[in-house]
Amino acid sequence: MGWEWRGDEPIYFPLPQDLPKGEYRLRVLLLSQHRLALRPRYVLEKEVRW
């Protein structure tokens, strides 16, 4: 999945509703706009309980 948004606004997105209960790793990657960017500029990982 991917989105483009204005950097000065919060981001809200729904999580998949058909996942079984359990622990998951939520990972958000911030990529450069450059088409040859191979590495994310920022990575946020969080363990979440569903």
Side-chain angles (χ1 to χ4, degrees):
M1 299 180 139
W3 294 274
E4 286 188 27
W5 74 95
R6 292 174 41 126
D8 60 350
E9 297 177 356
I11 304 166
Y12 301 100
F13 57 92
L15 295 174
Q17 297 299 313
D18 57 347
L19 293 175
K21 300 283 184 194
E23 293 184 13
Y24 292 90
R25 178 176 294 143
L26 178 64
R27 189 174 206 199
V28 177
L29 305 173
L30 178 62
L31 303 172
S32 170
Q33 291 182 358
H34 193 276
R35 64 182 178 86
L36 296 177
L38 299 176
R39 284 189 257 162
R41 297 183 90 184
Y42 182 78
V43 177
L44 172 68
E45 280 193 27
K46 178 100 174 157
E47 294 287 331
V48 294
R49 180 167 259 146
W50 181 255

